């Protein structure tokens, strides 16, 4: 938790909250408040500032430790028959390290931007690969994306998911997405009373996306279905876990 607090309360991240008005004053909503504050987006900023990049990676790893243990306890069957996983936007590799420890038959590829992959700590059965997920995703039985797609617009998500579909076997591959599913009417029916809690969390997460990313947003189950279908995933399932996030498994058409 400390790493998350240090990151979110850093002057760099707080500056984007102070520039939220950029979203209103620019008619076409073209500049994020982070860009208004720093002149570049959050990823380019991290690339240029290794200290901030380290703060970001530590914060993500802190959240990953909590969520991954919930996934391991709540739905271990997701990883049955999966021998290789590519974690797309996997940060410092904490997620894959924990998954490989829990499911030792898995070999992991931790895929992230070169400045992140090049400083990721060594982990057994995990290789770190640097690259751009908009261009290419390394091949594996399953592609895993946690807290990545909500940073991007629908069009960008469709591009990333299309690269993930190209990276997995068309007959028995899958994409595993760990993200929040915020309230629409359909969520009230699916989640019952839990929905009220998620409604407030959803609003908070959406505000964070607005402050920190250029085009990111949280999505309802209908909005997730849209980006998945457009990227060529004809079928998907949703598993609710004991966390803000849910687990979406999507299969190529
Ligand atoms: C919000 S963090 C999530 C990290 C990790 N999945 C987790 O949940 O702990 C998003 C990650 O996406 C990575 N990323 C951003 N743009 C990328 C790109 N074009 N290609 C690959 N990774 C990218 C960032 O460097 C960052 O590590």
């Amino acid at each position: 938790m400390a790493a998350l607090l240090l990151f979110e309360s850093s002057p760099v991240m707080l500056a984007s909250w102070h520039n939220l008005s950029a979203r209103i004053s620019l008619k076409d909503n073209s500049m994020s408040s982070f860009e208004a504050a720093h002149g570049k987006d959050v990823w380019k900023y991290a690339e240029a500032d290794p200290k901030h990049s380290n703060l970001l990676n530590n914060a993500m790893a802190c959240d990953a430790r909590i969520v991954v243990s919930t996934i391991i306890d709540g739905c271990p069957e997701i990883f049955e028959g999966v021998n290789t996983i590519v974690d797309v936007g996997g940060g410092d590799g904490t997620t894959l390290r924990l998954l490989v420890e829990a499911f030792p038959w898995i070999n992991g590829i931790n895929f992230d931007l070169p400045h992140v992959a090049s400083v990721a700590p060594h982990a057994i059965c995990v290789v770190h690969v640097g690259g751009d997920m908009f261009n290419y995703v390394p091949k594996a039985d399953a592609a895993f994306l946690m807290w990545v797609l909500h940073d991007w617009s629908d069009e960008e998500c469709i591009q990333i998911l299309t690269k993930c579909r190209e990276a997995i076997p068309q007959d028995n591959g899958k994409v595993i997405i760990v993200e929040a599913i915020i309230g629409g009417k359909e969520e009230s029916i699916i989640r019952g009373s839990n929905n009220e809690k998620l409604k407030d969390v959803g609003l908070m997460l959406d505000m964070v996306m607005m402050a920190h990313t250029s085009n990111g947003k949280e999505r309802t189950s209908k909005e997730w279905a849209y980006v998945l279908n457009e990227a060529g995933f004809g079928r998907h399932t949703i598993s609710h876990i004991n966390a803000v996030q849910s687990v979406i498994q999507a299969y190529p058409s």
Side-chain angles (χ1 to χ4, degrees), residues 64-77:
R65 276 192 283 276
I66 299 165
V67 180
V68 172
S69 63
T70 309
I71 298 170
I72 290 167
D73 292 343
C75 35
E77 68 282 359

Side-chain angles (χ1 to χ4, degrees), residues 78-79 82-88 138-144 164 167-169 172-176:
I78 287 177
F79 302 98
V82 176
N83 294 316
T84 51
I85 293 185
V86 55
D87 188 2
V88 182
K139 291 201 182 307
D141 294 340
F144 187 93
C164 290
I168 58 171
N172 60 359
K174 64 179 171 183
V175 169
I176 303 165

Side-chain angles (χ1 to χ4, degrees), residues 7-8 10-23 31-47 49 52 56 208-214:
F7 171 66
E8 288 296 345
S10 66
V12 172
M13 298 315 284
L14 288 179
S16 56
W17 291 101
H18 294 145
N19 282 271
L20 266 179
S21 58
R23 290 279 192 190
M31 191 185 282
S32 73
S33 47
F34 191 96
E35 279 175 274
H38 300 294
K40 45 172 89 90
D41 76 13
V42 68
W43 314 120
K44 286 262 177 308
Y45 187 94
E47 184 180 1
D49 182 343
H52 184 70
L56 167 64
V208 174
M209 289 303 105
M210 186 162 70
H212 294 345
T213 74
S214 302

Side-chain angles (χ1 to χ4, degrees), residues 10-207:
S10 66
V12 172
M13 298 315 284
L14 288 179
S16 56
W17 291 101
H18 294 145
N19 282 271
L20 266 179
S21 58
R23 290 279 192 190
I24 299 161
S25 50
L26 288 168
K27 282 200 183 94
D28 62 355
N29 193 25
S30 60
M31 191 185 282
S32 73
S33 47
F34 191 96
E35 279 175 274
H38 300 294
K40 45 172 89 90
D41 76 13
V42 68
W43 314 120
K44 286 262 177 308
Y45 187 94
E47 184 180 1
D49 182 343
K51 232 169 128 186
H52 184 70
S53 184
N54 194 35
L55 215 52
L56 167 64
N57 294 335
N58 287 346
M60 290 301 114
C62 167
D63 182 65
R65 276 192 283 276
I66 299 165
V67 180
V68 172
S69 63
T70 309
I71 298 170
I72 290 167
D73 292 343
C75 35
E77 68 282 359
I78 287 177
F79 302 98
E80 278 168 20
V82 176
N83 294 316
T84 51
I85 293 185
V86 55
D87 188 2
V88 182
D92 75 352
T94 297
T95 296
L96 275 180
R97 182 174 55 75
L98 296 173
L99 287 178
V100 166
E101 273 169 24
F103 309 111
W105 60 86
I106 293 177
N107 281 293
I109 303 164
N110 182 50
F111 183 65
D112 207 296
L113 291 166
H115 71 273
V116 180
S118 62
V119 296
H122 171 74
I124 292 165
C125 293
V126 176
V127 290
H128 302 293
V129 175
D132 181 348
M133 63 192 172
F134 287 97
N135 292 334
Y136 161 79
V137 168
K139 291 201 182 307
D141 294 340
F144 187 93
L145 299 122
M146 181 161 80
W147 273 158
V148 169
L149 295 173
H150 73 164
D151 293 333
W152 304 96
S153 68
D154 284 358
E155 293 68 29
E156 289 162 329
C157 282
I158 293 163
Q159 286 176 44
I160 298 163
L161 285 166
T162 300
K163 292 296 167 201
C164 290
R165 181 171 53 71
E166 290 166 4
I168 58 171
Q170 297 309 291
D171 49 352
N172 60 359
K174 64 179 171 183
V175 169
I176 303 165
I177 299 165
V178 182
E179 289 273 0
I181 301 178
I182 59 164
K185 277 202 181 108
E186 65 275 27
E187 264 70 49
S188 322
I189 298 160
I190 297 167
R191 298 194 70 128
S193 59
N194 204 12
N195 183 53
E196 279 308 304
K197 189 176 96 187
L198 204 65
K199 200 170 142 200
D200 294 339
V201 174
L203 177 63
M204 184 273 286
L205 290 172
D206 238 354
M207 291 289 295

